[in-house]
Amino acid sequence: MSYVLHLWRHPVPVSSEDAQAMLRDLRQQLSFSPDAAAGQLLEAIASALPPDGEPDDYWTEIPEPDPFALVQSLSPSVAELEVVLPVIEKTAIALGWVVFDPQSGQVHTPSGQVIGPAGAGPAVADVPVSPDLDVSPSARSRWVQQSLEPLFAQRGWRKLRGETWFQKKLPVGEALVYSKMVRDTLHHGVWIRLAMPSHLQHALNMDGGPDFTVSLQHFAQTHRLPFTYLEPPPLFKQRAGGVTYELPMGSADSAATRRDELAALYDGPVLDWLDQLHTLQDLDRWANRVPDEECPFVGLRQRSAYRLLNHHPDLLVAAAVNAPDFEQRALERYALYEADAFGQGLLPPLRKLLAACGLHFAR
């Protein structure tokens, strides 16, 4: 009898069935460049196993990293499962890997959540539905926030007052969940404010930006989850707190539906992904290195939409990690703006940001 575990870094499944589908998809793909993370994972697992045993004791087949594979499959010895499984799970989670056990159907996510074969329902609060929920927009907004609070609290988020519902410090900065009730719609979005190295602190504006706007639509599509909003994100957002998605919420029933959609979206897909952002290199990868369809940020790949690019967080994070192609990317962005009458009006803030990154342009 053999036992097999499958590990990958992203995306993070929301159910056992989702993990099985992702495993099939990922096995058919290869990375275009070698990834050292697989080797680091296996080294960490080997170091964490009891030193009094030999590799042959712990493995049916001694694992070798495949730097081009998106899935690493491990075959622990059945006789040593009680020793090896906890080591694999703990080490993989600490390094931001998903662990899928097809024998039990369990999925261990990087946030520490364990999902069983039937999936795990979002940990929402059972907040009583008050009589004024149908007539008071602010009551609907408070009810949704209170319902979602346990889901965020169990992952280390703080509940805040006002238009910022939840906040969490990340290694790469600060994640914020913004919501504001405007008549019968809930304006809702998620931002990541960057934590920059000291030499780039002066590149940040007074609000802590430039910031990344997380595409909730991207995660909904990736994980095949319903997400209802009235219109695409507006093209112009000056600061964190600008409108991202307008969620229809004109009644108690629609508030319950939005609550359920947001809970499913945050409970796994979005919050687990945010917990995987350990370094600015991780942010640079998602902003600048993945294909367009995998980019989880609003607007970064819409090169003709100048308004969406006005704060240039992708360039700033590339500068922060000393990306070899930073200057090339900056020159291309500058040329894009310079060649268009509308874009020329946005050159001053771009020059200022690039100067803070050590790249100067003649006026």
Side-chain angles (χ1 to χ4, degrees), residues 63-205:
E64 294 287 341
D66 184 344
F68 291 95
L70 300 182
V71 177
Q72 304 296 317
S73 297
L74 308 182
S75 299
S77 169
V78 174
E80 296 292 336
L81 286 181
E82 291 186 4
V83 174
V84 181
L85 283 185
V87 170
I88 294 174
E89 292 161 0
K90 182 178 180 180
T91 305
I93 288 169
L95 294 177
W97 288 73
V98 172
V99 180
F100 176 47
D101 183 339
Q103 288 79 199
S104 67
Q106 284 191 341
V107 181
H108 295 256
T109 71
S111 68
Q113 184 183 19
V114 181
I115 304 173
V124 297
D126 186 16
V127 181
V129 177
S130 62
D132 63 344
L133 219 57
D134 264 322
V135 296
S136 171
S138 60
R140 292 193 288 275
S141 177
R142 287 194 302 272
W143 182 81
V144 172
Q145 183 188 19
Q146 291 169 3
S147 299
L148 295 176
E149 183 180 358
L151 190 156
F152 283 86
Q154 70 181 11
R155 288 171 169 81
W157 290 67
R158 292 174 54 226
K159 179 184 176 183
L160 302 179
R161 295 182 178 181
E163 296 175 359
T164 302
W165 275 7
F166 305 105
Q167 177 263 355
K168 184 176 183 178
K169 293 289 186 181
L170 302 175
V172 297
E174 179 184 42
L176 301 166
V177 175
Y178 166 87
S179 285
K180 179 181 180 181
M181 199 69 187
V182 180
R183 294 182 291 278
D184 286 338
T185 62
L186 183 70
H187 293 184
H188 189 83
V190 181
W191 282 268
I192 302 173
R193 287 180 175 170
L194 302 176
M196 287 287 101
S198 58
H199 69 283
L200 289 177
Q201 283 294 319
H202 56 299
L204 301 177
N205 61 34

Side-chain angles (χ1 to χ4, degrees), residues 209-350:
D211 44 60
F212 285 102
T213 305
V214 177
S215 173
L216 298 180
Q217 180 190 21
H218 165 82
F219 286 98
Q221 290 177 340
T222 301
H223 294 273
R224 300 178 289 279
L225 295 171
F227 180 53
T228 306
Y229 57 94
L230 294 180
E231 58 185 38
L235 292 181
F236 191 51
K237 179 179 68 64
Q238 288 187 319
R239 60 182 178 84
V243 177
T244 302
Y245 298 99
E246 295 186 12
L247 312 183
M249 212 162 76
S251 66
D253 286 343
S254 63
T257 302
R258 298 294 84 75
R259 185 274 311 271
D260 292 344
E261 289 182 352
L262 290 173
L265 194 54
Y266 283 118
D267 187 39
V270 175
L271 298 187
D272 281 357
W273 176 79
L274 287 169
D275 282 337
Q276 294 180 63
L277 299 177
H278 301 298
T279 65
L280 289 176
Q281 283 80 4
D282 292 332
L283 266 183
D284 177 63
R285 176 183 175 276
W286 287 109
N288 296 318
R289 314 297 159 194
V290 299
D292 289 356
E293 63 274 12
E294 295 180 20
C295 182
F297 300 117
V298 173
L300 290 191
R301 303 305 176 87
Q302 295 171 263
R303 294 306 182 197
S304 62
Y306 302 105
R307 295 173 185 268
L308 285 168
L309 294 169
N310 197 20
H311 288 166
H312 314 285
D314 53 336
L315 292 182
L316 185 57
V317 77
V321 301
N322 296 314
D325 61 350
F326 162 69
E327 184 171 345
Q328 176 188 345
R329 287 176 174 272
L331 292 173
E332 290 175 353
R333 184 72 52 80
Y334 193 90
L336 178 70
Y337 278 45
E338 194 174 37
D340 182 89
F342 180 82
Q344 289 171 10
L346 300 176
L347 284 176
L350 177 57

